Amino acid sequence: MVEGLKILRQIVYSDAFNEFRGEEIAPGSSVRSDKAIEDYIRQTCGTAWHPVGTCKMGIDQMAVVDPQLKVRGIEGLRVVDASIMPTMITGNTNASAIMIGEKAADLIKVGTKLR
Ligand SMILES: Cc1cc2nc3c(=O)[nH]c(=O)nc-3n(C[C@H](O)[C@H](O)[C@H](O)COP(=O)(O)OP(=O)(O)OC[C@H]3O[C@@H](n4cnc5c(N)ncnc54)[C@H](O)[C@@H]3O)c2cc1C
């Protein structure tokens, strides 16, 4: 990321950007050394990605939950969130996470009726 920021500066400080470039707002032109750039990145960077799949649903050995979202090998525990997605989906994750919740509510209601 340090290298990336330096490449970004090379591009923005090229002649092609002369008519568009204003003063550098962040991290600011005084932040020059690799260490200073790294410090800035460590203080400010974050993720806007959609983490999923750390407790994947499935029937294979790597699956954490079964198709009823029950944790394999543990009684009385379900996982109900985006972590059960077996792979990264192509769309946004929020609606899918809500549907996982709706589905789990139905599974629990059906399970309760069966008991
Ligand atoms: C910046 C950003 C922008 C996004 N924009 C969109 C968008 O535009 N459209 C879209 O569809 N999706 C978007 N998403 C993704 C979407 O928000 C998530 O995929 C979704 O919220 C995942 O739901 P979840 O229930 O799996 O996890 P979360 O919503 O993260 O819920 C996990 C919950 O567990 C709680 N928790 C964590 N640890 C513990 C613990 N030990 N004990 C008890 N509770 C705990 C947390 O407090 C949290 O309430 C965005 C995500 C980010 C980060």
Side-chain angles (χ1 to χ4, degrees):
M1 291 181 77
V2 170
E3 289 307 309
L5 194 142
K6 291 196 287 194
I7 292 168
L8 177 66
R9 275 182 170 157
Q10 275 173 17
I11 295 168
V12 174
Y13 284 91
S14 68
D15 288 346
F17 279 87
N18 282 347
E19 62 179 301
F20 307 109
R21 187 179 51 246
E23 194 178 327
E24 184 178 315
I25 296 169
S29 53
S30 65
V31 176
R32 305 300 323 169
S33 71
D34 284 6
K35 175 76 173 75
I37 293 171
E38 184 181 328
D39 287 348
Y40 163 77
I41 290 168
R42 287 190 183 279
Q43 284 165 17
T44 57
C45 80
T47 176
W49 296 107
H50 297 136
V52 302
T54 50
C55 283
K56 84 160 187 168
M57 175 183 68
I59 53 171
D60 60 293
Q61 280 303 305
M62 291 302 288
V64 175
V65 299
D66 69 15
Q68 279 70 47
L69 305 177
K70 293 176 177 172
V71 178
R72 296 168 61 223
I74 296 180
E75 284 295 312
L77 181 64
R78 281 186 160 100
V79 175
V80 182
D81 59 22
S83 68
I84 65 95
M85 294 178 188
T87 57
M88 184 65 182
I89 60 172
T90 50
N92 280 351
T93 41
N94 187 297
S96 314
I98 291 167
M99 293 314 297
I100 290 166
E102 294 284 351
K103 176 71 179 177
D106 287 346
L107 288 171
I108 291 166
K109 277 193 289 192
V110 170
T112 306
K113 274 185 204 150
L114 290 177
R115 264 185 234 133

